[in-house]
Amino acid sequence: MKALNITPDGIIGHSFGEIACAYADGCLTTREAMAVTYFRGQVTESDKKIPRGLMAVVGLSKAETKKLCPKGVFVCLQ
C-alpha cells in the first residue's frame, strides 16, 4: 500500500493479524513485531490450559450455527 501511496484510515486484524497491523501502522518495529510473535506463539503452544482449536466466520445466526456444531464448540458473536 505504501508503494501505491495509499494511507488507510485504520487497520484491523485478529489473532496474529493484530501484530501485523501494529507493525504496518508503525506501532511496532520489525524487531518488536518478531519478538511479540515469537513469545505469543511460545505461550500458545506451551500453555496446556489454552485449548487447541480453530475458528471460523460464518454467515448464520447464533441459533442456526449452534444447531450445526457438535457438543463442545463455543459460538460467539463478534
Side-chain angles (χ1 to χ4, degrees), residues 23-34:
Y23 170 74
D25 199 32
C27 297
L28 296 175
T29 65
T30 302
R31 183 181 178 95
E32 291 167 338
M34 291 175 70

Side-chain angles (χ1 to χ4, degrees), residues 10-54:
I11 305 171
I12 59 171
H14 175 74
S15 192
F16 280 98
E18 295 165 351
I19 301 166
C21 287
Y23 170 74
D25 199 32
C27 297
L28 296 175
T29 65
T30 302
R31 183 181 178 95
E32 291 167 338
M34 291 175 70
V36 170
T37 301
Y38 171 80
F39 286 110
R40 185 183 184 281
Q42 283 292 102
V43 169
T44 302
E45 290 296 313
S46 63
D47 189 336
K48 302 300 180 208
K49 291 181 255 170
I50 299 174
R52 296 212 180 274
L54 300 174

